Amino acid sequence: MADVLIVGAGAAGLMAAGAAARRGHAVTVLEHTGRPAQKLLVTGKGRCNLTNACDEEEFLRHVRTNPRFLYSSLCAFPPAATMELFQSLGVALKVERGRRVFPVSDKAAEVRQALLDYAAGAALVHDGAAGLLLEPLAPPDPAPGKKAKGPALRCVGVKGTSGKTYRAGCVLVATGGLSYPVTGSTGDGYKLARQAGHTIVEPVPSLVSLVSRDPDCKKMMGLALKNVRLTLWEDQKPVWAEQGEMLFTHFGISGPLTLSASSHLGDMKKHRYRVEIDLKPALSEEQLYDRVTRDFAQLSNHAAQGALARLLPASMQPVMVERWGIDPATRANQITREQKRELVRLCKHWAVPIDGRGDLAHAVITAGGVSVREVDPRTMASKKAAGLYFAGEVLDVDGYTGGYNLQIAFCTAQAFAAHLHEGAR
């Protein structure tokens, strides 16, 4: 019988396993794929953005859902602690734009191996969890005139999908969400939580590409734009804006700005959404008009598309001419003031209607999960079943792109291990 049984060998599970084992607990980790921490290999485009080098206050501003729940665990294990830990494990780190922290090697496999080394004191077993082993638990006698409080169940282990039974002093569910199911995130943790009586906030894809039926996106597929400003509109109201990078795809738009914008989408049945891209955010409309005027004077004998050579990427030029509505044969020196004004407007407000989110299979993370109202924020302990804990993406906590979600996995895992009581031994 193990002191600690962890379901899921992802970022949160391995971090918790290492922290618990190094505190002297006998730890067993169940991983149903047999390939621990596979999702780490695809994070940060294979480079693994493992945290964000900011303080706790700034960090919480980048947590989209239930930031207050994280306060205790994040203060106890902030990004600086994550960086110190990985450096102690031999991973040299660097900080890039937006305070994003990557391994110097740019190899996610190095981060994965470091986590496996950290958790080497735990027993890793190739098996899944078919269900929790739950026993009735008599609540403590209430004070006179008050109702009894506390969980009515105790979790004493897990029944494996192999049929084997694993008993333990406590069980941590760290199964991840539903994103990238090929890496092992199949939503099993939600089933286990429901078995113990937990409420599950409906899981939806977050940090995901956006689908648009606008044919211009497909015409420009593969085009990456840097230093643009993207604004997300809900009906007639802007709800989010940021400057950075994005990408046109065959189905719509993607890239870092798009992923962040996606987490601000609400009910797409009730609202209409679009993004507007400012292709030249460093210039005001008047400054851009002056620049266009200079370009056209220098390229006076070029046709409309050629006149855009200094202004836009090659694959965007014919699309702009078509959207602009100008005769492609028009020479630069024939373009009117009104037509230049319209070009400026399009450059500052390139609109893309949004028809849907990308699917969970390709979302970076899952929003939703185990309701944090039913979990102790200091210890990650279930309020429904004694001996049951949750950490990482399975919880209804998620942040924006930039290393925030892996840090959430790490600090919630460390909170679990730090508060393991002697009864878990």
Side-chain angles (χ1 to χ4, degrees):
M1 173 175 163
D3 297 340
V4 178
L5 180 65
I6 297 173
V7 184
L14 290 178
M15 180 63 77
R22 291 175 183 226
R23 285 173 168 83
H25 295 280
V27 182
T28 297
V29 184
L30 301 185
E31 172 51 50
H32 71 108
T33 68
R35 301 184 304 275
Q38 280 293 103
K39 190 175 175 183
L40 275 178
L41 299 179
V42 299
T43 61
K45 297 180 180 179
R47 298 170 60 215
C48 192
N49 178 192
L50 58 99
T51 190
N52 190 283
C54 62
D55 61 25
E56 297 91 316
E57 184 177 343
E58 178 66 20
F59 188 98
L60 291 174
R61 285 199 286 268
H62 289 80
V63 177
R64 190 185 75 94
T65 308
N66 296 315
R68 290 181 62 188
F69 174 81
L70 282 179
Y71 184 81
S72 294
S73 60
L74 185 67
C75 288
F77 196 80
T82 295
M83 295 174 69
E84 182 179 354
L85 173 60
F86 277 98
Q87 287 169 329
S88 74
L89 294 169
V91 181
L93 301 176
K94 60 182 177 179
V95 180
E96 297 188 357
R97 181 185 58 80
R99 306 177 307 270
R100 299 168 188 237
V101 179
F102 292 90
V104 170
S105 66
D106 283 331
K107 294 180 180 179
E110 185 182 10
V111 177
R112 175 178 179 265
Q113 187 57 53
L115 270 179
L116 287 169
D117 293 344
Y118 182 61
L124 185 61
V125 177
H126 182 190
D127 202 353
L132 300 175
L133 300 178
L134 297 170
E135 295 179 350
L137 178 66
D141 292 333
K146 293 188 177 182
K147 293 183 179 179
K149 291 184 178 181
L153 296 170
R154 175 178 290 281
C155 183
V156 296
V158 163
K159 182 177 181 180
T161 52
S162 64
K164 185 176 178 179
T165 295
Y166 302 88
R167 297 186 73 86
C170 66
V171 174
L172 172 68
V173 175
T175 51
L178 283 167
S179 58
Y180 283 112
V182 294
T183 65
S185 300
T186 54
D188 292 345
Y190 307 140
K191 299 174 187 176
L192 300 177
R194 283 194 183 97
Q195 186 187 347
H198 278 277
T199 303
I200 304 299
V201 178
E202 182 182 4
V204 295
S206 186
L207 301 183
V208 69
S209 298
L210 297 176
V211 176
S212 175
R213 290 193 285 267
D214 182 354
D216 286 348
C217 293
K218 190 170 185 179
K219 293 174 187 175
M220 295 185 288
M221 58 184 282
L223 172 62
L225 298 177
K226 296 183 178 181
N227 297 318
V228 297
R229 185 170 182 83
L230 186 148
T231 302
L232 175 69
W233 288 75
E234 181 182 84
D235 301 324
Q236 301 305 312
K237 179 179 67 175
V239 294
W240 179 85
E242 192 170 291
Q243 190 165 322
E245 301 175 14
M246 62 159 294
L247 173 73
F248 288 103
T249 70
H250 67 285
F251 57 79
I253 57 175
S254 189
L257 284 178
T258 305
L259 299 184
S260 293
S262 71
S263 63
H264 293 267
L265 291 173
D267 189 337
M268 300 196 70
K269 295 178 181 178
K270 295 181 179 178
H271 302 284
R272 296 177 67 86
Y273 291 91
R274 72 180 189 278
V275 300
E276 286 188 1
I277 305 161
D278 184 346
L279 300 170
K280 303 293 178 181
L283 301 177
S284 68
E285 292 202 5
E286 284 305 314
Q287 289 171 326
L288 183 55
Y289 179 86
D290 291 342
R291 174 182 166 175
V292 167
T293 300
R294 290 194 301 272
D295 285 355
F296 287 4
Q298 294 170 359
L299 301 169
S300 58
N301 291 320
H302 286 70
Q305 181 174 325
L308 301 176
R310 298 176 182 176
L311 187 68
L312 300 172
S315 58
M316 196 175 204
Q317 292 166 19
V319 182
M320 176 63 85
V321 169
E322 185 177 355
R323 188 174 286 203
W324 192 8
I326 196 171
D327 183 343
T330 305
R331 298 290 175 182
N333 57 11
Q334 298 173 319
I335 295 172
T336 68
R337 180 180 301 174
E338 290 72 22
Q339 288 171 327
K340 285 189 286 185
R341 290 287 182 195
E342 175 61 11
L343 174 62
V344 167
R345 188 192 69 79
L346 289 170
C347 286
K348 298 292 285 184
H349 304 278
W350 184 274
V352 180
I354 302 303
D355 299 298
R357 297 177 175 90
D359 58 23
L360 274 166
H362 299 96
V364 175
I365 61 160
T366 307
V370 178
S371 172
V372 297
R373 294 182 178 182
E374 300 165 356
V375 178
D376 185 327
R378 297 176 303 104
T379 66
M380 302 301 132
S382 164
K383 296 179 182 179
K384 298 286 186 176
L388 179 63
Y389 298 78
F390 300 94
E393 194 180 344
V394 72
L395 290 162
D396 181 27
V397 184
D398 61 278
Y400 302 125
T401 183
Y404 301 101
N405 291 289
L406 272 178
Q407 176 63 33
I408 290 170
F410 296 148
C411 71
T412 54
Q414 287 281 346
F416 156 76
H419 291 88
L420 282 175
H421 52 74
E422 291 300 315
R425 290 182 184 272

